[in-house]
Amino acid sequence: MRPTGLILPRGSNPDRDLVPGKAPTTHIVWGPRCALRLEVTGVDVGEPRRWPSLEPEVPERVVHAIVGLQGPGVAPVLSCAPTPAGLALQLRRSAVFERVLGAVAAYAAPTVPAAPGPRVVLHCPALRGSPCALRLSQLRAVLVADHLARALHAHRVSVRLVPAVRDPHMPTFLQQLRVDWPAASERAATEALRSRALAELTPARNAEALPPGALGRVYLKELVDERGRTTGYDPKLDSCLGRTRSLAGPESSRAPHSPPASALCVLFAVTEDLLAVLAELQQAVQDWAEDSSLGLAAAPDAGADSCMVVHVVSCEEEFQQQKLDLLWWKLDDQAPLRQKHLVCGPVKVAGAPGTLTAPEYYELRHAQVCKASALKRGRDLAQDSAWMEIFRVLSVATIKFEMLSTAPQSQLLLALADSSISTKGTKSGTFVMYNCARLATLFESYKCSMEQGLYPTFPPVSSLDFSLLHDEGEWLLLFNSILPFPDLLSQTAALPCTAPGLHITARTEMVCKFLVQLSMDFSSYYNRVHILGEPRPHLFGQMFARLQLLRAVREVLHTGLAMLGLPPLSHI
């Protein structure tokens, strides 16, 4: 039972479960199937709300465990007592504020595990081509892979990224998108795989023609039967891996590596390009270099089975990748047994043909951002290098939030209208960046006022009186955004390594959705509450408590944006 799950019911709806009003305590009631329901009551705490089908008795071990919970993501429990409705937990808000806001760094950063995590090879086949040929579904796979790599790195998981891009234009395009991916220096050696492939080749018979560039065909029927059917490989592989035919004739007439007579055989044409793909994957697994940026290295006795290869593919690429999986196992006895496919669903463009390429999509969003800014400011800022950099960041933020806010396995519908980049649209990346800039402006205003002598310098956090935070919006920001943030990052980086089957899922949509909701909650609070009040001493206590809360909001927001490869903006 995870501590964060006990104290932070992620599925709770604040608008439904939180009773409006200023309350110093929060009650959590043990609910069905050990789920906890949230109820905020006034100073005069009445009977806790009854929930249907409650557990008849709360285990004693649960009572003791909850009272003693400690660490990031866990609210300090004031009291814990059985009631007819279940187990009622009382949280003193000022104590929760003090615990969390006194240790902002612990809540605004990923929880680093005590021991190094598993080794992961992230393979994104879409990066083997050129940008002009990159479809939107492939762009989605690239952004998912980049985001997942950042989340894994933040949790000290050793990650290798494959392929190293070779197209001369791809690094520039990835830099535009703020995607951090290695470029190739030299090609991986293919001699060993080529020798093994030549030894396994089934020669052509009866003037059979091979595809251009093919070295020959490899018999993969045994692998399809042994691994494919039980792990979720496409059953059509039988007929599509190559040419399906029936071989007959005396045993003496067969070549040494031909399949058995009268056997239905699956033949796959092997080319030098396929061997180059497999050689790079093989090298990533076998020659696991130390990641100097994190100080991580593979364990000395770590073999191929100690790592997992995750192929992040578009739905159009998955079938080809399944064939390559089988070929890798056929030609390399040390190929990892754990190969998983993270398949990204199709991308549909509303009101437009599906021929839009990734660079065209970027240019469209960039033009829309520039146009919106010119209309807002009444002048063209195309000659201002500082503003153009901001526009590039906003364009990428728009694209990443559009591509990553939906679960990767689901279909994505894009709307290309200009309204998608408005700062008033609460679902867009531009809206998140706008609120990031509002926070920066707030703290810059405080700094200027302090330098002018209107406000005193910020006091030590330990001296702040968080009982002055009475507004319901302040509690929602802490309870729904700051407190659960480390757990959210952990879920984003969680890969079901031991899950059966070929396909896995990843929660790469969680950070974008979280940042949008955080921005909405902050915007609602900021529009309603005046943070920098009159420069009067009796008001400074509440002002500093609120600024410390928004410091934590800012740090969480910046960390979330870093998981997307986006820098915080100070103005828009």
Side-chain angles (χ1 to χ4, degrees):
M1 191 175 298
R2 292 185 306 169
T4 303
L6 286 172
I7 300 301
L8 300 175
R10 185 174 295 281
S12 63
N13 183 340
D15 295 331
R16 179 194 66 219
D17 295 337
L18 296 177
V19 179
K22 299 179 180 179
T25 61
T26 296
H27 278 241
I28 298 177
V29 181
W30 182 270
R33 299 184 185 88
C34 300
L36 296 177
R37 301 297 185 120
L38 178 65
E39 181 182 27
V40 176
T41 60
V43 176
D44 183 14
V45 180
E47 179 70 12
R49 186 182 307 175
R50 291 181 178 272
W51 302 95
S53 304
L54 289 171
E55 298 291 335
E57 184 177 351
V58 180
E60 187 68 22
R61 60 179 178 80
V62 173
V63 176
H64 291 297
I66 291 177
V67 173
L69 289 175
Q70 300 287 334
V74 180
V77 176
L78 177 64
S79 65
C80 179
T83 70
L87 183 63
L89 310 181
Q90 188 178 24
L91 311 179
R92 185 181 302 239
R93 289 193 175 188
S94 59
V96 178
F97 277 119
E98 183 177 355
R99 166 82 66 84
V100 176
L101 300 183
V104 170
Y107 292 87
T111 302
V112 178
R119 301 188 303 161
V120 177
V121 174
L122 283 182
H123 174 221
C124 187
L127 290 170
R128 298 190 184 279
S130 63
C132 62
L134 201 63
R135 300 185 299 272
L136 293 184
S137 57
Q138 292 176 306
L139 173 63
R140 186 185 191 187
V142 170
L143 297 180
V144 166
D146 177 65
H147 177 40
L148 185 57
R150 294 176 189 275
L152 291 171
H153 274 135
H155 285 82
R156 298 188 66 81
V157 175
S158 189
V159 180
R160 293 295 300 275
L161 302 178
V162 178
V165 295
R166 300 186 182 280
D167 185 273
H169 304 290
M170 185 63 82
T172 301
F173 183 62
L174 294 180
Q175 186 178 13
Q176 278 185 325
L177 293 174
R178 296 183 175 271
V179 169
D180 190 10
W181 206 270
S185 56
E186 58 183 21
R187 295 179 71 89
T190 62
E191 287 79 7
L193 286 172
R194 193 176 192 277
S195 299
R196 179 68 180 269
L198 290 173
E200 297 283 352
L201 289 181
T202 298
R205 293 170 53 86
N206 302 326
E208 173 183 46
L210 290 171
L215 301 175
R217 298 183 187 274
V218 172
Y219 177 60
L220 297 175
K221 173 67 174 175
E222 293 177 356
L223 281 173
V224 174
D225 287 339
E226 177 186 346
R227 298 180 181 179
R229 301 188 198 284
T230 59
T231 56
Y233 281 79
D234 195 317
K236 295 178 183 178
L237 283 171
D238 266 359
S239 58
C240 297
L241 271 173
R243 183 172 63 81
T244 304
R245 60 188 175 93
S246 178
L247 293 179
E251 292 292 326
S252 60
S253 66
R254 293 191 292 110
H257 300 288
S258 295
S262 302
L264 184 67
C265 63
V266 181
L267 298 171
F268 184 29
V270 179
T271 66
E272 293 284 2
D273 287 342
L274 289 180
L275 293 181
V277 171
L278 294 183
E280 190 170 11
L281 286 167
Q282 183 186 59
Q283 182 177 355
V285 172
Q286 294 179 349
D287 303 329
W288 200 276
E290 181 175 341
D291 189 337
S292 59
S293 64
L294 293 174
L296 294 177
D301 58 345
D305 290 343
S306 67
C307 78
M308 178 173 66
V309 180
V310 179
H311 305 285
V312 185
V313 297
S314 66
C315 51
E316 300 93 342
E317 296 168 322
E318 189 205 3
F319 194 72
Q320 175 68 12
Q321 186 57 52
Q322 290 188 18
K323 294 188 287 185
L324 288 174
D325 288 0
L326 294 174
L327 183 61
W328 192 4
W329 279 323
K330 181 73 173 180
L331 301 182
D332 183 6
D333 294 332
Q334 301 300 316
L337 296 178
R338 289 189 295 174
Q339 293 192 58
K340 300 291 186 179
H341 288 212
L342 176 55
V343 182
C344 298
V347 178
K348 305 294 183 182
V349 180
T355 57
L356 192 67
T357 65
E360 291 170 343
Y361 174 45
Y362 173 82
E363 292 301 330
L364 172 66
R365 286 302 188 218
H366 186 260
Q368 289 173 330
V369 168
C370 293
K371 176 183 176 183
S373 179
L375 291 174
K376 179 179 179 180
R377 301 186 178 278
R379 60 191 180 96
D380 187 3
L381 298 171
Q383 304 304 316
D384 190 317
S385 60
W387 276 108
M388 290 305 295
E389 178 61 21
I390 291 175
F391 297 161
R392 285 189 285 269
V393 172
L394 290 176
S395 303
V396 174
T398 300
I399 290 171
K400 289 193 172 185
F401 274 81
E402 285 178 329
M403 286 282 181
L404 295 174
S405 292
T406 303
Q409 64 270 19
S410 302
Q411 176 176 295
L412 176 62
L413 182 63
L414 285 182
L416 299 181
D418 290 356
S419 58
S420 299
I421 50 90
S422 172
T423 58
K424 296 181 180 180
T426 57
K427 302 298 183 182
S428 69
T430 308
F431 175 71
V432 174
M433 302 306 287
Y434 167 65
N435 282 284
C436 179
R438 294 173 85 185
L439 275 167
T441 301
L442 169 68
F443 284 97
E444 183 62 27
S445 297
Y446 164 73
K447 179 182 177 182
C448 292
S449 297
M450 181 192 67
E451 292 173 348
Q452 296 171 8
L454 297 177
Y455 297 136
T457 58
F458 206 94
V461 176
S462 59
S463 68
L464 299 181
D465 183 2
F466 292 111
S467 66
L468 299 174
L469 297 179
H470 302 302
D471 192 272
E472 198 67 25
E474 294 159 352
W475 176 248
L476 292 182
L477 283 171
L478 182 98
F479 196 82
N480 291 343
S481 299
I482 303 170
L483 203 53
F485 187 60
D487 183 60
L488 176 134
L489 293 178
S490 297
Q491 292 187 47
T492 303
L495 287 175
C497 301
T498 59
L502 172 67
H503 299 100
I504 62 171
T505 58
R507 304 297 303 276
T508 52
E509 77 281 4
M510 292 185 69
V511 170
C512 285
K513 288 184 174 181
F514 173 87
L515 293 179
V516 167
Q517 186 60 55
L518 170 60
S519 298
M520 292 173 64
D521 291 342
F522 164 71
S523 181
S524 175
Y525 172 72
Y526 191 75
N527 290 338
R528 185 169 43 80
V529 177
H530 193 52
I531 308 299
L532 301 179
E534 295 282 335
R536 299 179 180 178
H538 71 282
L539 300 176
F540 290 158
Q542 186 178 58
M543 181 189 73
F544 286 130
R546 287 173 170 172
L547 283 174
Q548 182 64 13
L549 170 65
L550 295 185
R551 270 184 176 177
V553 170
R554 181 183 62 179
E555 293 305 310
V556 166
L557 183 56
H558 288 188
T559 301
L561 291 175
M563 293 294 109
L564 300 171
L566 295 171
L569 293 180
S570 58
H571 61 280
I572 291 183

